[in-house]
Amino acid sequence: MSQSIDRREFLKLAGLGGIVFASTLRSRIANAADAQAADDFYFVQLSDPHWGFQGPPNPDAKGTLKKAIAAVNGLSDQPDFIVFTGDLTHTTDDPKERRQRLAQFREIASELKVKDVRFMPGEHDASLDHGEAFQEFFGPTHYTFDHKGVHFIALDNVSDPRAMIGDEQLQWLSADLAKQRPDANIVILTHRPLFDLYPQWDWATRDGAKAIDLLMPHRNVTVFYGHIHQEHHKMTGHIAHHAAMGLMFPLPAPGSQPKRDPLPWDPEHPYRGLGFRDVDAEVKTSEFKLTEFPVKGA
Amino acid sequence: MRTERRKLLVGLSSLVGLAAIGAVGAATQPKEKVIKILARKFTYSPNHLDLKLGVPVILEFTTADVLMGFNAPDFQVRADIMPGKVEQVRLVPDKVGNFSFLCDIFCGSGHESMNGTITVSA
Ligand SMILES: [Cu+2]
Ligand SMILES: [Fe+2]
């Protein structure tokens, strides 16, 4: 019935308006019932809008998110749903201001045509109050949902200011995974990298390895995350990890300069390094196809 | 009596720190230099350490305000710095160069620039 699992592979293709990144999702669906249950779809990942940020790295701090939303609304085929992988707002020490930023962000995000939108916190939203304000606006910080044969798990590695998932949530993850078949299509949505991408810049999750260990027995796992404000692709074993661009300021490549300071705004290339992505789940060809879209000026 | 208790506590906390980097046993060595580092929103003082290759040091942390972290990933040394407590960790400079350390517990609006450097010379 089920064929042997192809080794996951990346194909890098030149695409209009961005790069197409494809990774093998799973073995080909062998039986018709399965094929029907799992038809193709796509979703959009937006990340790190940092609403409330002000400063030279983005002179259009109030307009960039709106431009991205207009671009998503302008896609000819609308996505099945949209995910925001954290840092919805830029951090503030004032709890009242935090709520104002979250409220404004929610208002702007409500302009998306697609109404099925999933929100996740980043450390900027949640680390100073253990996710309290975030939950007032967007509900739980970790959850699961299923869509056309793919099991999505939103993991919270930011409500604990130590950048940990925590044992309680890991147990919840373990219990949830126990209900999935070993060959289930599993997508993890999270804010910080689960692997040690560059701990010198805080690009890690302290107990992320524990989550990866729990995921390892599952053959088809793909992780989508944010936090590092740039595209990044990495395999840990057979698990693919894809970081998305941000929507406020791009950050330098890991270790490429002494400090993690934002890349300066370039008037010759405004919005450079900012964007969002389409994730195409092509069950028939057993792939997730990623297409990166830049934010463009007016 | 009071002094004894205090000594014991300090001894224990350094043991905990040392256990974290797998170097239990050196706690009784009094020779290693102790470098005191004060963490506060959003700096360490000092924020630069000059170390000699192969000469271990004890870093002794306190925080002036909230819970802070210290993480020097290149040396696999990290600590939670809790208000009202003294935290010690041992660092073995086993390579030459410039390395960064950072606060890895989100502590407020300036958290992302709370960092420092370690220079290890031969
Ligand atoms: Cu982040
Ligand atoms: Fe961010």
Side-chain angles (χ1 to χ4, degrees), chain A residues 50 87 90-93 123-124 127-128 161-163 198-202 206 227 249 258-260, chain B residues 41-42 67 71 73-74 78 80 100 102-113 115-117:
Chain A
H50 283 259
D87 283 353
H90 197 68
T91 199
T92 161
D93 295 327
E123 76 282 0
H124 278 254
S127 280
L128 290 180
R162 295 171 298 174
Y198 197 62
Q200 289 85 343
W201 285 358
D202 202 28
R206 214 195 286 183
H227 188 56
F249 49 81
K259 301 247 179 213
R260 177 193 39 191
Chain B
K41 289 181 178 179
F42 299 99
L67 171 68
N71 191 1
D74 295 285
R78 77 159 309 283
D80 291 333
S100 51
L102 72 157
C103 173
D104 63 356
I105 300 182
F106 202 89
C107 59
S109 54
H111 164 73
E112 287 175 343
S113 56
N115 48 40
T117 50

Side-chain angles (χ1 to χ4, degrees), chain A residues 42-65:
Chain A
Y42 90 92
F43 67 95
V44 164
Q45 180 188 9
L46 295 138
S47 204
D48 296 83
H50 283 259
W51 184 257
F53 172 85
Q54 282 179 306
N58 190 335
D60 187 28
K62 285 200 165 17
T64 305
L65 173 61

